[in-house]
Amino acid sequence: MNTQSSVDTRIKVGIIGFGRMGRFYWEAMTKSDRWNIAYICDTDPESRQLAKELAPGSLIVEDNQKIFEDESVQVVGLFTLADSRMGQIEKAIRYGKHIISEKPIADTMENEWKVVEMTENTNLISTVNLYLRNSWYHNLMKEYIQQGEIGELAIIRICHMTPGLAPGEGHEYAFHDCGMHYVDITRWYAGCDYRTWNAQGVNMWNYKDPWWVQCHGTFQNGVVFDITQGFVYGQLSKDQTHNSYVDIIGTKGVVRMTHDFNTAVVDLHGVNQTIRVEKPFGGKNIDVLCDLFADSVETGKRSSRLPSMRDSAIASEYAWTFLKDTRKHDLPAIGNLRTLEQIRERRKNMKNGYGLLHGNLPKIINP
């Protein structure tokens, strides 16, 4: 008879916020054998009830203080709204918890830089979900560029247009809340900060703010960029589609990527070889982020691949800067609010499409 009890060596985590993103993390961590989801916290009764159904082995709480006060909890996942983020990060540092955060890391730029200062003045490990950095296709393309196969990096073109979320459905400013991912990954490729920019926007459907933005300019090293982002791509078309690509041009060759949200296709056209790679798209790559973070916690050494709070603040600040720049130029309003209401009405009951609303998402996620 074996009298030895097994010791749970998994990393003990408390999830704070069990909405759409919180569930993504729960799913990724549940599929892994590296995490013990000790707590799930949400102030919404429906979300807590769902957590009880999905995670009977976790303690479901309304007050996150219980998570912070539990000394056995090593990591907190902060997946609530941005206006609560800075206070939760401050509390995590005070109670000695490592931090995985959604972006943006606070509700204002002033507070985002306060978070950067707080996290950089502690030995605790922190990261933020800038998910494109964890994608297999961006890492493959960057490695190929670094091999010198396309010569000197010259031009970075990134486009992401989908029907996506309509105004008022989850993003207050689309180019900041979503577009900051593309602002970040473009800077990641360039390896330095932005120097010049010129942004053009369109107030689609006569909405008060640009729901489509195109920005071009240069980096400090002379690399040229253009970023196009908008949730304006055929919301009322019979069969919805999208247009997403990365097109990186060097002095000798090119690398490019397209995807259909299921499969990503990378074409590498270098001086010595031409390679085409097709693999599953990978979604938001939260499993990769969680694995990198688990490695960091277990070794006590922060992975160089983990995005930092500073990375997030820089991307957020430039996204705001580019968005504000649209107002310095002609900002046409095309369409009318009646069309926007038709879009919202159609999206209320959509079960298959882009940027599905929270209420339309499947209630049960199978781990």
Side-chain angles (χ1 to χ4, degrees):
M1 179 177 175
N2 186 0
T3 57
Q4 289 184 328
S5 59
S6 61
V7 178
D8 190 346
T9 59
R10 295 175 299 167
I11 299 167
K12 204 167 184 180
V13 60
I15 290 176
I16 301 175
F18 201 60
R20 180 171 178 265
M21 292 310 301
R23 283 192 245 167
F24 282 148
Y25 283 91
W26 171 83
E27 183 178 16
M29 289 176 174
T30 302
K31 287 179 177 178
S32 168
D33 60 359
R34 308 182 71 178
W35 298 92
N36 172 6
I37 305 172
Y39 293 88
I40 297 174
C41 174
D42 203 293
T43 57
D44 176 58
E46 287 189 16
S47 294
R48 290 199 303 276
Q49 181 57 42
L50 178 61
K52 288 176 184 176
E53 296 170 12
L54 292 175
S58 303
L59 289 170
I60 314 303
V61 297
E62 181 179 1
D63 183 2
N64 64 39
Q65 187 65 26
K66 295 177 181 178
I67 298 175
F68 289 109
E69 289 181 353
D70 186 335
E71 293 182 1
S72 68
V73 172
Q74 299 159 269
V75 176
V76 289
L78 307 180
F79 315 130
T80 55
L81 298 177
D83 58 3
S84 62
R85 205 99 72 210
M86 186 174 78
Q88 291 172 353
I89 290 171
E90 194 173 30
K91 194 183 286 189
I93 293 171
R94 192 183 333 135
Y95 284 93
K97 313 296 185 190
H98 302 299
I99 303 161
I100 303 175
S101 174
E102 269 300 306
K103 57 81 191 165
I105 52 175
D107 55 343
T108 66
M109 280 314 309
E110 180 184 3
N111 286 342
E112 286 191 64
W113 285 112
K114 285 180 181 176
V115 166
V116 172
E117 184 179 3
M118 281 191 288
T119 53
E120 289 184 349
N121 284 311
T122 177
N123 291 325
L124 295 164
I125 299 166
S126 61
T127 195
V128 61
N129 180 25
L130 297 174
Y131 75 94
L132 293 175
R133 291 183 179 223
N134 295 318
S135 64
W136 68 265
Y137 42 88
H138 282 305
N139 281 280
L140 174 63
M141 289 192 292
K142 189 173 185 180
E143 182 181 348
Y144 194 76
I145 293 167
Q146 289 173 337
Q147 290 172 5
E149 277 286 325
I150 69 167
E152 291 182 63
L153 179 62
I155 303 162
I156 305 169
R157 302 177 59 238
I158 292 184
C159 171
H160 185 75
M161 293 190 292
T162 77
L165 293 171
E169 290 184 342
H171 292 311
E172 187 174 358
Y173 297 98
F175 187 77
H176 176 265
D177 297 358
C178 175
M180 67 174 278
H181 283 299
Y182 305 100
V183 172
D184 173 68
I185 203 66
T186 307
R187 173 177 167 266
W188 180 78
Y189 273 113
C192 64
D193 280 332
Y194 292 91
R195 183 171 64 188
T196 66
W197 50 84
N198 184 288
Q200 178 63 56
V202 177
N203 286 6
M204 282 289 272
W205 319 294
N206 200 29
Y207 186 65
K208 63 184 180 65
D209 297 304
W211 219 243
W212 180 94
V213 172
Q214 199 280 340
C215 184
H216 66 264
T218 62
F219 285 93
Q220 290 175 0
N221 59 4
V223 169
V224 174
F225 75 92
D226 76 67
I227 300 168
T228 303
Q229 190 274 335
F231 297 131
V232 302
Y233 211 65
Q235 276 85 346
L236 291 177
S237 57
K238 175 180 172 291
D239 298 308
Q240 291 190 334
T241 186
H242 70 280
N243 189 7
S244 294
Y245 63 79
V246 178
D247 189 18
I248 300 178
I249 303 165
T251 56
K252 298 179 181 178
V254 299
V255 297
R256 65 190 182 208
M257 183 277 294
T258 59
H259 70 79
D260 62 3
F261 287 101
N262 292 307
T263 303
V265 180
V266 173
D267 289 309
L268 308 170
H269 291 263
V271 292
N272 296 306
Q273 52 187 341
T274 301
I275 302 172
R276 182 179 177 88
V277 182
E278 292 188 33
K279 288 170 60 177
F281 174 59
K284 293 191 177 293
N285 309 295
I286 287 172
D287 55 339
V288 178
L289 181 70
C290 289
D291 268 344
L292 290 172
F293 202 82
D295 291 341
S296 301
V297 171
E298 288 172 355
T299 63
K301 184 179 180 182
R302 191 181 190 281
S303 169
S304 60
R305 284 188 57 192
L306 283 175
S308 69
M309 298 294 189
R310 180 174 289 274
D311 290 326
S312 182
I314 290 172
S316 178
E317 189 162 60
Y318 277 117
W320 281 129
T321 299
F322 298 163
L323 186 59
K324 289 175 183 175
D325 193 62
T326 63
R327 302 188 184 282
K328 297 179 181 179
H329 313 119
D330 185 26
L331 190 57
I334 298 176
N336 55 65
L337 291 173
R338 185 169 62 255
T339 301
L340 179 56
E341 286 306 313
Q342 291 175 324
I343 291 167
R344 287 171 172 161
E345 192 61 34
R346 181 190 190 187
R347 288 178 47 74
K348 281 180 183 177
N349 300 306
M350 281 178 60
K351 300 294 184 184
N352 182 29
Y354 295 80
L356 294 179
L357 301 179
H358 180 72
N360 297 346
L361 293 172
K363 288 292 184 183
I364 301 297
I365 306 172
N366 295 317

